[in-house]
Amino acid sequence: MPGQIGRQSVTVLDAPLVAGDYNTETRDWDNAARIAVSGCTVDYISAAESEQAGDQTTTRAQLFMPRRGPLVTEWQRVEWAGRTWEVDGVPATPEAAGQLSGQVVTLLEVAG
């Protein structure tokens, strides 16, 4: 991992809101805007497997965005390592970590 610090790329997916059933709004992931971001650092932080109702794996990764990178919200998704990840919770703001830091985003993938 040390050789990969700041050398990885991700794609941030930003889906528009569209009208859904019963006067609701939903995200249109088929027509999501794709924003390529380089200069990132991403690494796995946890994984778990469950066999209650069927096999299911939950994997989390930590994404460190580059300084002055696009801001990621909890309503977006991220493509990394050939997989599409949900943003888990509200990403940390870069201002809290100092002006040389980028945003910190926890990613979540549930499979099965």
Side-chain angles (χ1 to χ4, degrees):
M1 171 62 189
Q4 295 296 322
I5 294 175
R7 295 184 178 186
Q8 295 169 295
S9 296
V10 300
T11 302
V12 177
L13 304 175
D14 190 11
L17 284 172
V18 295
D21 295 335
Y22 304 106
N23 206 21
T24 62
E25 291 183 325
T26 185
R27 299 265 173 202
D28 182 9
W29 291 108
D30 292 332
N31 294 307
R34 302 171 59 83
I35 305 161
V37 183
S38 60
C40 301
T41 301
V42 194
D43 202 6
Y44 295 100
I45 57 175
S46 70
E49 186 173 352
S50 168
E51 296 182 16
Q52 294 171 345
D55 291 337
Q56 184 180 56
T57 58
T58 303
T59 308
R60 283 190 168 76
Q62 198 82 46
L63 164 61
F64 296 89
M65 295 290 285
R67 185 175 83 143
R68 296 190 183 110
L71 289 179
V72 177
T73 70
E74 63 270 24
W75 306 110
Q76 294 173 319
R77 293 180 180 171
V78 174
E79 289 180 347
W80 171 67
R83 296 152 54 182
T84 302
W85 300 76
E86 301 283 335
V87 173
D88 190 20
V90 178
T93 58
E95 293 84 17
Q99 56 184 237
L100 295 179
S101 297
Q103 191 176 29
V104 179
V105 183
T106 301
L107 305 176
L108 171 69
E109 180 194 57
V110 179

